Amino acid sequence: QVQLVESGGGLVQAGDSLRLSCAASGRTFSNYAMGWFRQGPGKAREFVAVIDWSGGRTEYADSVKGRFTISRDNAKNTVYLQMNSLKPEDTAVYYCAARRAGITRFDRLYDYWGQGTQLTVSS
């Protein structure tokens, strides 16, 4: 069992930067990916970014590529999502997810989920 807790959301202005954190506890796996997903108002949940804890590989959604950066701190069992040049379209609940396997963009393949943290970007 893995527990995930997101933090760092809030209200910001367009163009601002913010960093989300996801702290993991409980069972650890030899090879598991950590992903960020989001669900905006009136939208379906969508992939944002993913990182492999052991391999360091990353992938991003086209909508955030060049603006967002996913990273990890294994000593703290924490993954981050650095968000720059934020847009109102980024407004959503952001979820952290873990998968005992390689990286993937498909949310249904993730095993554990956090409770989410709200990001609101005003124009």
Side-chain angles (χ1 to χ4, degrees):
Q1 185 80 328
V2 173
Q3 292 79 47
L4 305 174
V5 180
E6 304 95 333
S7 62
L11 175 63
V12 299
Q13 303 293 320
D16 284 354
S17 297
L18 198 68
R19 188 180 73 167
L20 304 182
S21 299
C22 174
S25 62
R27 184 178 179 180
T28 58
F29 303 97
S30 60
N31 180 31
Y32 72 102
M34 301 294 296
W36 286 98
F37 296 80
R38 67 186 183 186
Q39 186 167 19
K43 299 179 180 179
R45 185 169 59 189
E46 65 176 347
F47 166 78
V48 176
V50 62
I51 187 168
D52 188 324
W53 278 105
S54 58
R57 297 172 59 191
T58 60
E59 291 187 9
Y60 298 91
D62 290 341
S63 59
V64 306
K65 189 174 298 183
R67 299 189 298 120
F68 290 11
T69 302
I70 187 170
S71 62
R72 69 192 185 206
D73 186 336
N74 289 335
K76 298 180 179 179
N77 292 319
T78 302
V79 295
Y80 305 96
L81 185 67
Q82 178 65 47
M83 304 178 293
N84 299 327
S85 302
L86 284 165
K87 306 175 181 179
E89 305 91 271
D90 296 318
T91 295
V93 176
Y94 283 72
Y95 297 93
C96 179
R99 179 173 186 254
R100 189 179 63 83
I103 60 175
T104 179
R105 295 169 177 256
F106 298 106
D107 54 357
R108 294 183 179 180
L109 297 180
Y110 284 79
D111 302 306
Y112 306 101
W113 292 83
Q115 83 290 344
T117 185
Q118 175 72 48
L119 169 68
T120 302
V121 184
S122 62
S123 60

